[in-house]
Amino acid sequence: MGIKERKAREKASRRSAILEAAKSLVGKSGVEGMSMNQLADLTELNKATLYTYFGNKADLIDTIVNEGLLRLEAEFDRHDTHRASGLKMMLNLIQATFEFYRKHPAYFLAMNHQEHRGPGARATPSSAQGDEIAVRIFDRIRQALEQGVADGSIRRGIDVDSFLALYFAHTHGVMHLVSAKPDVYVDVLGLAPEDVERSALELIQYFLTRKGKP
């Protein structure tokens, strides 16, 4: 192995180690509770070195989000059953989303923080890549919806773009509840995360199969 290849491998390894440490801190304390000083201490690197790999904290968080989206996309591939109806396929993908973020809370906490930055503050060196991955994920939901309308498992007359907005708001809200409000759904209501997720899927299924009144 040449010097150039070895340096590239060392750089990639260090970048991966920084990401793993950042995810560990986010998972324990949330994005707001994670500082670049803490990350520097955990990785035994100075802050200047961290900033050679990530432009700022927002760029680092966006990179974590992107990694999570890529892994979620891989989960979609695993749960995608082409022989199923469009409705079943969509419900499978949404359930995969719930399960993924419940198992990997650091990815959801990073995404939730990203969403709260507001449109004007989202642009980072890593944000464009995340937008591309998110478009592919939304396209999978769109395709399942269109297949369901075509095969009759989903009612006609649904505005696709409106449903995609509803899909994001609904799933994001459920993931936030499961992530941040166990004192509500566990202590007060006596529910498990799976109970909340199952009810969310039932609501989506009801909306997709029964024509409601405005």
Side-chain angles (χ1 to χ4, degrees), residues 59-73:
D59 185 36
L60 172 61
I61 296 305
D62 284 353
T63 303
I64 293 174
V65 171
N66 294 354
E67 183 180 274
L69 289 174
L70 284 172
R71 293 187 63 181
L72 177 61
E73 191 174 33

Side-chain angles (χ1 to χ4, degrees), residues 17 25 29 34 48 55 68 82 108 111 126 134 136 144 176 179 187 197:
L25 290 172
S29 306
M34 184 206 82
H82 294 289
F108 175 71
M111 180 181 69
S126 302
R136 294 200 302 265
H176 174 71
S179 172
D187 299 340
E197 294 164 8

Side-chain angles (χ1 to χ4, degrees), residues 20 62 79 121 170:
E20 289 302 313
D62 284 353
H79 284 77
H170 190 61

Side-chain angles (χ1 to χ4, degrees), residues 75-109:
E75 284 297 301
F76 273 22
D77 290 338
R78 194 169 68 84
H79 284 77
D80 202 343
T81 306
H82 294 289
R83 294 182 180 178
S85 67
L87 175 63
K88 179 62 175 176
M89 185 181 298
M90 176 176 293
L91 295 177
N92 284 345
L93 296 179
I94 296 173
Q95 184 173 13
T97 303
F98 289 151
E99 291 176 354
F100 175 78
Y101 283 114
R102 178 156 40 86
K103 291 177 182 177
H104 306 285
Y107 290 132
F108 175 71
L109 292 171

